[in-house]
Amino acid sequence: RNVPLKLAQRQLMKEVNEMGFRGKFDFLYIPMDSRRRSNRGIAFINFASATDAQEFAVLTHGRFLNHPFAEKSMEVLPADVQGFEQNIARHAEILLSKTETNKPVVLR
């Protein structure tokens, strides 16, 4: 939670990679609010292991992203949907859409 509203998925992926998690996650998605033309302030990242997810949470919870519009510290919480396959199933409609421009990043 508290992802800067103007942060793009590519920017978040770059920052997560620079934190040392390159290759340790396989799904990343920042849902957009089409009416406001910004993201909804949340992101979903599926890590390859529970250990990687826990390390990310310890490193980032309560801290600010390196972004000029970061106004609130991040709040890292487990998502209702866990696992790569489950995230793909949950977001299948968006992934298969021919008109959606902001699709989840799938790294498998």
Side-chain angles (χ1 to χ4, degrees):
R1 290 186 177 168
N2 299 332
V3 171
L5 298 179
K6 298 297 181 186
L7 186 75
Q9 289 183 156
R10 183 174 43 216
Q11 292 169 305
L12 179 59
M13 188 163 68
K14 181 178 185 242
E15 189 149 350
V16 172
N17 284 337
E18 288 173 354
M19 289 178 199
F21 293 94
R22 181 182 305 276
K24 295 183 178 184
F25 61 99
D26 51 18
F27 181 92
L28 183 144
Y29 181 47
I30 301 178
M32 297 299 290
D33 182 338
S34 57
R35 289 177 290 159
R36 292 188 315 174
R37 295 182 183 216
S38 66
N39 72 53
R40 294 174 28 207
I42 58 174
F44 300 98
I45 303 174
N46 186 69
F47 287 92
S49 73
T51 301
D52 293 331
Q54 187 172 11
E55 286 177 15
F56 179 81
V58 167
L59 181 66
T60 59
H61 185 78
R63 301 205 174 135
F64 288 81
L65 283 173
N66 186 23
H67 189 272
F69 296 110
E71 297 174 354
K72 298 178 182 178
S73 62
M74 288 190 297
E75 189 177 340
V76 180
L77 304 166
D80 292 338
V81 176
Q82 295 288 317
F84 178 78
E85 289 81 11
Q86 292 82 354
N87 272 290
I88 295 298
R90 167 68 176 86
H91 300 287
E93 186 176 325
I94 296 167
L95 286 164
L96 297 172
S97 171
K98 295 184 191 287
T99 58
E100 177 64 50
T101 58
N102 185 65
K103 295 183 179 191
V105 176
V106 178
L107 299 169
R108 259 198 211 179

